[in-house]
Amino acid sequence: MKQRPEPLPTYDAAVAIDALAHVLSTLKGAAEVRAFLEDLCTPTELEAMGDRWRVVPELLKGTPYREIHEHTKVSTTTIGRVARCLELGAGGYRAAAKRLGLSRNSH
């Protein structure tokens, strides 16, 4: 991903992320969210986010990383990062999975 010459100050980045979260929360339905994401993100960014979300249900079922990789072709590095977010992250993956009624393992 393209880097800024200097990162935004933490406060400005937090404000921008909060604004983005607010905009997403106002969209109605998957079609509007998809259109917004297609305008906001590059195809590569969308593919990466889709890959991350695709492995969440498998990780929640306790599927081994190698099996997830064989089934999805998502790298084991990405799978590991998603697993760490499920364990130690902000809770977004788990909240979305719960909202969708996806099964969980004992984590």
Side-chain angles (χ1 to χ4, degrees):
M1 192 177 335
K2 193 173 186 177
Q3 295 287 323
R4 294 176 182 269
E6 294 180 26
L8 284 173
T10 303
Y11 173 78
D12 291 343
V15 169
I17 292 168
D18 286 347
L20 180 60
H22 176 73
V23 167
L24 286 167
S25 74
T26 67
L27 296 172
K28 306 239 187 283
E32 282 189 12
V33 173
R34 182 185 176 110
F36 182 79
L37 290 173
E38 286 179 357
D39 288 344
L40 179 69
C41 302
T42 67
T44 301
E45 291 166 336
L46 284 172
E47 182 180 352
M49 289 188 289
D51 284 349
R52 290 177 197 138
W53 177 249
R54 192 164 46 154
V55 303
V56 169
E58 296 299 320
L59 287 167
L60 291 173
K61 288 189 274 187
T63 306
Y65 290 16
R66 286 279 170 211
E67 193 175 318
I68 295 170
H69 169 71
E70 289 168 12
H71 179 251
T72 65
K73 304 304 180 211
V74 173
S75 76
T76 55
T77 301
T78 296
I79 295 165
R81 287 180 183 149
V82 172
R84 274 192 304 282
C85 286
L86 281 167
E87 281 297 310
L88 306 170
Y93 284 140
R94 285 197 182 274
K98 182 178 179 183
R99 186 75 52 97
L100 293 173
L102 300 175
S103 64
R104 299 179 193 215
N105 63 15
S106 60
H107 288 38

